């Protein structure tokens, strides 16, 4: 198992609960790369409805409900407000139609139905710019400490018997009859009956360096975030950029405020990814368009950025689907894409494909989370 982000960790946990012998390799500390640089949301992805990704939204909402039930220590509901202005690129009827559909897709597992708010009611709750505000809506999703979630899943996999090898970059894969040889940067070799490649943003590089052909190639899209020094609101905000129709979040986060994200094609090296000055300026400008108290660079406590591995191509990175692909060729599975919320569904699909390869379905033990008390260390 290569890659200790949320999807690799989830797959390792799934297979260990099926009593497969699992070794999980990660180039650094599991969860310390892309999976800890997210918008901290466990969500259905309401903005995906605009691109008709109904299956992904339904699956995400189902997994959101499961995580809220199974892991309430980490996954918490959050209310999100959508203010509508006279110049908003999406109209009030369009937003309401999307929220109605979001409620329907959530079904009985919905946290709470969406609600309509007048302009005055919104201004009582959030320090928004009052000019041309036409009212808005609220809906519910969930938040999580993403790094703590990955560490919890890794600890749960280890509890079930998975061997976890952190700080162990895999540099070469060599196919042998019926088996694979895995070579690490330290020069170690190990033999495996089956390989699962969940290397995330490093997928393209790993496949190319080992001459492994694939029908998919990932688009690498950088998402940057600001962490402000102060808390703006107890509710989150989903805001629409006037210039490019992108949506971005302003979220309460551990006593501060999280602002993000951007969507920029990433062509630089994958180690040490940071938010650029241009992205910081983009988020500051759009925040100030909506909030009555403007911010400057001095109001930013920190920034972070991660690279999302997305399946497909588009002139606008925001339009690239967040769907994942699980592709098996013989005794190798490559996992393309995937999001934080749906790691359980993805892992289940991988588990079924592994069972198919070995010729019989294996029962899976019930999931039991083991909280990693060192996740924040």
């Amino acid at each position: 198992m290569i890659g200790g982000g949320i999807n690799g960790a989830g797959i390792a946990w799934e297979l260990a609960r099926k009593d497969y012998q699992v070794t999980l390799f990660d180039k650094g500390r599991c969860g310390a790369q892309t999976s800890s640089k997210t918008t901290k949301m466990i969500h259905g992805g309401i903005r995906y409805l605009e691109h008709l990704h109904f299956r992904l939204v339904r699956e995400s909402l189902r997994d959101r409900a499961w995580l809220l039930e199974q892991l309430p220590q980490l996954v918490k509901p959050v209310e999100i407000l959508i203010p509508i202005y006279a110049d908003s690129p999406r109209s009030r009827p369009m937003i309401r139609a999307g929220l109605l559909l979001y409620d329907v897709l959530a079904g009985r597992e919905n946290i709470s139905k969406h609600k309509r708010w007048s302009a005055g009611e919104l201004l009582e709750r959030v320090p928004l710019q009052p000019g041309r505000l036409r009212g808005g809506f609220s809906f519910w999703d969930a938040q999580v400490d993403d790094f703590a979630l990955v560490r919890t899943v890794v600890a749960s996999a280890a509890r079930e018997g998975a061997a976890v090898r952190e700080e162990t970059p895999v540099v070469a894969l060599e196919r042998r009859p019926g088996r694979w040889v895995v070579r690490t940067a330290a020069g170690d070799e190990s033999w495996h009956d089956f390989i699962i490649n969940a290397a995330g943003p490093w997928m393209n590089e790993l496949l190319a360096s080992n001459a492994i052909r694939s029908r998919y190639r990932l688009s690498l899209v950088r998402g940057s975030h600001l962490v402000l020094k102060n808390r703006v609101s107890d509710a989150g905000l989903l805001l629409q950029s006037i210039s490019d129709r992108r949506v971005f979040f302003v979220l309460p986060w551990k006593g501060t405020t999280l602002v993000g994200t951007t969507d920029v094609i990433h062509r630089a090296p994958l180690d040490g990814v940071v938010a650029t000055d241009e992205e910081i300026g983009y988020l500051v400008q759009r925040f100030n368009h909506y909030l009555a108290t403007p911010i400057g660079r001095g109001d930013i406590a920190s920034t972070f950025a991660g690279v999302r591995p997305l399946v497909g191509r588009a002139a606008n990175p925001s339009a690239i689907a967040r769907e994942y692909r699980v592709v098996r060729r013989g005794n190798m599975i490559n996992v393309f894409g995937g999001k934080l919320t749906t790691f359980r569904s993805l892992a289940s699909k991988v588990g079924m494909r592994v069972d198919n390869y070995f010729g019989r379905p294996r029962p899976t033990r019930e999931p039991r989370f083991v909280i990693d008390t060192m996740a924040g260390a």
Side-chain angles (χ1 to χ4, degrees), residues 71 96-97 119 133 141 168 178 206 226 250 263 269 341 363:
L71 204 57
R96 184 169 185 271
L133 179 62
D141 260 320
T168 309
L206 187 62
L226 314 178
V250 176
D263 281 313
T341 304

Side-chain angles (χ1 to χ4, degrees), residues 79-85 92 95-96 99 112-126 128 133-140 235-237:
E79 185 183 19
I80 300 175
L81 308 176
I82 309 177
I84 308 296
Y85 284 80
R92 185 155 40 189
I95 296 294
R96 184 169 185 271
L99 290 169
S112 182
K113 290 185 178 180
H114 80 277
K115 183 179 177 181
R116 186 171 180 171
W117 297 81
S118 69
E121 289 171 329
L122 287 176
L123 291 171
E124 288 178 0
R125 299 193 61 188
V126 185
L128 292 164
L133 179 62
R134 297 294 185 261
F137 299 92
S138 65
F139 69 101
W140 287 80
L237 293 167

Side-chain angles (χ1 to χ4, degrees), residues 8 45 63 87 98 116 122 184 230 232 263 266 357 363:
D63 286 345
D87 58 354
R116 186 171 180 171
L122 287 176
T184 70
N230 298 317
V232 171
D263 281 313
H266 185 81
Y357 173 78

Side-chain angles (χ1 to χ4, degrees), residues 10 72 77 98-99 103 117 164 167 173 184 191-192 203 248 279 299 302 332-333 353 357 375:
L99 290 169
D103 288 341
W117 297 81
V164 181
E167 308 290 344
L173 300 171
T184 70
W191 292 71
H192 303 271
M203 172 71 80
F248 66 100
E279 288 172 287
D299 298 295
S302 63
M332 182 180 200
I333 284 178
R353 283 165 172 76
Y357 173 78

Side-chain angles (χ1 to χ4, degrees), residues 138-364:
S138 65
F139 69 101
W140 287 80
D141 260 320
Q143 283 187 304
V144 70
D145 183 324
D146 45 13
F147 182 63
L149 176 62
V150 180
R151 299 304 303 182
T152 293
V153 177
V154 169
S156 303
R159 169 77 172 270
E160 297 288 350
V164 181
R165 297 187 60 185
E166 298 183 291
E167 308 290 344
T168 309
V170 171
V171 295
L173 300 171
E174 184 178 338
R175 193 191 301 267
R176 297 288 178 85
R179 306 189 78 185
W180 286 89
V181 178
V182 174
R183 293 191 180 90
T184 70
D188 299 328
E189 289 189 358
S190 55
W191 292 71
H192 303 271
D193 295 327
F194 202 99
I195 291 289
I196 299 170
N197 178 9
W202 287 267
M203 172 71 80
N204 293 342
E205 180 182 316
L206 187 62
L207 293 179
S209 64
N210 289 281
I212 298 172
R213 291 182 298 173
S214 171
R215 61 181 294 190
Y216 295 109
R217 184 172 175 81
L218 293 170
S219 293
L220 303 183
V221 178
R222 186 174 63 252
S224 293
H225 301 78
L226 314 178
V227 180
L228 305 184
K229 293 178 180 178
N230 298 317
R231 190 163 183 140
V232 171
S233 169
D234 289 333
L237 293 167
L238 180 59
L239 303 174
Q240 305 179 61
S241 171
I242 304 301
S243 61
D244 55 14
R245 290 179 56 87
R246 287 197 67 257
V247 298
F248 66 100
F249 288 98
V250 176
L251 299 168
W253 179 245
K254 295 185 176 182
T256 66
T257 301
L258 182 67
V259 183
T261 180
T262 59
D263 281 313
V264 179
I265 295 296
H266 185 81
R267 296 185 174 89
L270 287 168
D271 293 317
V273 177
V274 297
T276 64
D277 285 342
E278 183 178 1
E279 288 172 287
I280 294 170
Y282 174 96
L283 291 172
V284 167
Q285 182 182 42
R286 279 147 184 80
F287 178 97
N288 289 342
H289 180 81
Y290 285 104
L291 277 299
T293 303
I295 59 170
R297 299 293 177 109
D299 298 295
I300 301 172
S302 63
T303 66
F304 64 90
V307 176
R308 299 186 290 275
L310 304 181
V311 181
R313 295 282 188 275
N316 176 8
S318 299
I320 302 175
R322 269 51 175 177
E323 300 272 5
Y324 56 81
R325 300 288 185 271
V326 176
V327 181
R328 182 175 76 83
R329 289 189 62 187
N331 59 343
M332 182 180 200
I333 284 178
N334 290 312
V335 178
F336 297 90
K339 57 197 289 281
L340 193 72
T341 304
T342 56
F343 78 88
R344 173 176 173 257
S345 290
L346 188 157
S348 178
K349 291 179 175 66
V350 171
M352 287 189 291
R353 283 165 172 76
V354 174
D355 284 349
N356 289 340
Y357 173 78
F358 287 106
R360 66 177 181 87
R362 292 193 181 193
T364 310

